[in-house]
Amino acid sequence: MRARSLAVLVVAAGAVTALVWWRRRSAAGSEPRVQLGLSGGATLTLDRSDPSTIELETLAVGVRDSFTGGA
């Protein structure tokens, strides 16, 4: 009985560790990009080095804050 409880505990700890590792790995690989939708249905993706990217991100933060009331 004690060995079974220990085995269940080890498996649960391993599952939690694997989940945390997977979430961190998947979050690190996806860097947010700035995409603009164009009138023809196409999209334009801006590079991180483009100065427009910073301006658009600042505007997006302002819009998001206006929806949440600045909180």
Side-chain angles (χ1 to χ4, degrees):
M1 184 71 162
R2 184 166 173 88
R4 188 180 344 172
S5 298
L6 182 61
V8 168
L9 183 63
V10 168
V11 169
V16 169
T17 302
L19 179 64
V20 169
W21 174 79
W22 176 73
R23 293 283 295 165
R24 285 189 179 175
R25 196 187 88 181
S26 65
S30 61
E31 181 178 324
R33 294 184 178 169
V34 175
Q35 272 191 341
L36 300 173
L38 304 176
S39 63
T43 57
L44 172 67
T45 303
L46 299 176
D47 293 332
R48 297 298 295 170
S49 61
D50 191 346
S52 301
T53 303
I54 296 171
E55 293 175 23
L56 288 171
E57 288 175 344
T58 304
L59 288 171
V61 167
V63 169
R64 185 181 60 226
D65 286 347
S66 70
F67 286 131
T68 61

